[in-house]
Amino acid sequence: MRFSPEFLDELRLRTRLTDVVGRKVKLVRKGREHGGLCPFHNEKTPSFTVNDDKGFYHCFGCGAHGDVVKFVMETEGLGFPEAVERLASEAGLALPAHSEQDRAQDDQRKTLHQVMDAAASWFQSQLAGAAGREAREYLARRGLNADAVKAFRLGYAPESRTQLKDALLARKLTEAQLIDTGMLIKPEDGGASFDRFRHRVMFPIADAQGRIVGFGGRALGDAPAKYLNSPETVLFHKGRLLYNMTMARAAARAADRVIVAEGYMDVIAMAQAGLKEAVAPLGTAVTEDQLALLWRMAPEPIFCFDGDAAGLRAAERAMVRALPLLKAGQSLRFVALPKGEDPDTLIRNQGVGAMREMLDAARPLIDVLWDVELARLPTDTPERRAGFKARLRERLSEIADPDVRGFYKEEFDARMRSLWQPKQDFGPSNRFRDGARRPPGKGRGRYDAPIPVSRELLRTPLAQGAGFTNHRRERLILMTVLNHPELLDRYQEEFMAVDLDSDELDKLRAAIIRIAASCHQSDDKLESSTVRNHLYQEGFGRAVQRLEGDKGLVGDLFAKPDATADSAEQGLLSLMQASQLQLLHTELEAAEVDALSDDIDEAERATRRARDLRAQIESLVERLAGVER
């Protein structure tokens, strides 16, 4: 059976290579690749790599190399047609019926691709000519330069019923071809066909192979539709495509992220400003096929929508569509721009730095889901709280992956306990300053207050004094490591395990760890100046400046650059252990609440858990006190 290139491309887009290989090989993520022991020869040291972005596997030991189809053929002993059929069945992709007619259709598609490219070139020529003056002025007002216009092949459709038609027919293209591609409209009453796009700035839309398959047109005058897309054709399926998908893939791999904006101009404005990893759906709510494309580019696409009601609704629709598809390491993040702003206007008004800050502060899906459901109705009565809980349970039921669903449930339960749990008195020496629980910071269910600890811990210098908050502790940890990165040689694992409430500091920590690993690989000396230089080059300059400018950290001498190695080490170790203690106390509180359950088995499990946590807390308090002596 013969399969068209388009069908095989669609199959590869719908099939994640690591999912298929992972059935045979235990894979470990290594940056943008996965590695494991080669299934094609016996080896003890992993030399087998899988790259989802590029769609191939390779073994540096035996030279095995191929795509997902070849892997199934080699490991299952199947022929090419059988391997394709199995993968298509798993992907829910209907097999094409090949015949002479099908082969003729394949040839037709090739011709139609040529028609679309010719149309794009003609629109470009119109933009550059006298007729395109108004369109050029519009693009200039929107801040686009000549390089961006050329890179995205922007064009102009003149205000004429048949100018495109006449031009392409003169090139020996047929009217039927122009109708099949959606470039002409054929009236049902049998009248003469006419150009679909008129008096519009034209945005060519490419498929995964970079071939023009459709257009979006932005009206320059009064028109019923501000934006108009090509209709569904044999080439153009808007729910399976992303604007700028072809050019964004390489940039997404380099940046390890992909940005999803609402419109063409947002994508082009970001690309022009250096954020080339931006794409956009084509005027519709994001589809499952589009999510699959996004997850092939990056594990957590960042959805960046306009800061108005429509933008928020679009973000919610994307979130709901993604819930059934969540997997380990596969989720979404969201940026809500200031009201009245979109990426295009934000970059023009405040610069790309402001846009980068918004992206760095992108919120995880679980936070957005929590906030959306919490904001629907008040939760000031038991009945309304029960309604809120029921809505969360309904959302949880939509998550198919059992592990992801379980962790979401645990997190939601912890947040609800934090939100409504009555205040508790831990004694005069360790009571919260305001005597009451605070709302969870950043939706994580943590308390921005001194941790409730035993008297031994309270005598340590780092825990003394009102105002020693989670916020201050985590910033001190980052400051200490930033000024003394050599400590990562001994405490990288503990540093990675610290739970940070601040998304900005979490990203900064990940960058520091990545830079430290790069220094070790290149034999560069791991010094504070080296780390700072890399952070500034990677766009973390403002985060570093905010950290260093925090006046609340000036009294902690161990975190300063001139602190002795022993002082910095003791300070960092004490801070990280105090952070761990905070988490243990939070878990203990939750276990104590669960121990009151009417379910006897659950109560017994919670009681045992609370007993274990108290032992861990006591042991950690003793170790922490020992560090401070």
Side-chain angles (χ1 to χ4, degrees), residues 53-120:
D53 295 327
K54 298 179 180 179
F56 67 76
Y57 61 85
H58 182 80
C59 178
F60 293 94
C62 68
H65 182 94
D67 65 359
V68 66
V69 178
K70 186 175 181 181
F71 184 85
V72 173
M73 292 172 60
E74 297 290 343
T75 58
E76 300 289 343
L78 300 177
F80 180 77
E82 291 79 15
V84 172
E85 289 173 11
R86 174 176 295 185
L87 290 170
S89 176
E90 293 172 351
L93 186 61
L95 289 171
H98 287 285
S99 62
E100 288 297 328
Q101 181 180 1
D102 294 325
R103 282 188 281 274
Q105 289 178 351
D106 289 343
D107 293 337
Q108 180 196 25
R109 287 191 182 92
K110 293 179 182 178
T111 302
L112 295 183
H113 281 302
Q114 296 170 358
V115 171
M116 296 302 282
D117 190 75

Side-chain angles (χ1 to χ4, degrees), residues 445-519:
R446 306 288 178 241
Y447 307 120
D448 191 21
I451 58 176
V453 296
S454 65
R455 295 182 185 276
E456 288 83 356
L457 179 59
L458 287 170
R459 286 199 292 266
T460 65
L462 288 171
Q464 288 177 356
F468 196 86
T469 62
N470 289 350
H471 173 79
R472 182 179 172 216
R473 182 184 300 110
E474 63 186 33
R475 296 180 77 78
L476 273 173
I477 290 173
L478 267 292
M479 177 67 82
T480 305
V481 172
L482 185 61
N483 286 328
H484 303 276
E486 67 278 2
L487 292 173
L488 292 178
D489 290 338
R490 295 187 58 187
Y491 299 110
Q492 178 168 314
E493 185 174 343
E494 292 84 351
F495 180 56
M496 293 172 64
V498 172
D499 187 45
L500 300 176
D501 284 349
S502 167
D503 288 338
E504 180 179 68
L505 294 185
D506 196 18
K507 293 178 183 294
L508 188 61
R509 170 178 58 184
I512 291 173
I513 293 171
R514 185 170 62 251
I515 292 166
S518 176
C519 287

Side-chain angles (χ1 to χ4, degrees), residues 13-25 27 34 50-52 68 71-72 87 90 292 295-296 325 327-328 330 401:
L13 285 173
R14 292 198 186 194
T15 306
R16 189 190 295 270
L17 181 57
T18 49
D19 288 345
V20 176
V21 175
R23 302 170 192 165
K24 304 287 184 181
V25 180
L27 297 174
H34 291 72
V50 182
N51 191 311
D52 272 328
V68 66
F71 184 85
V72 173
L87 290 170
E90 293 172 351
W295 277 320
R296 292 203 59 164
L325 308 174
K327 296 180 181 180
Q330 176 177 295
D401 187 283

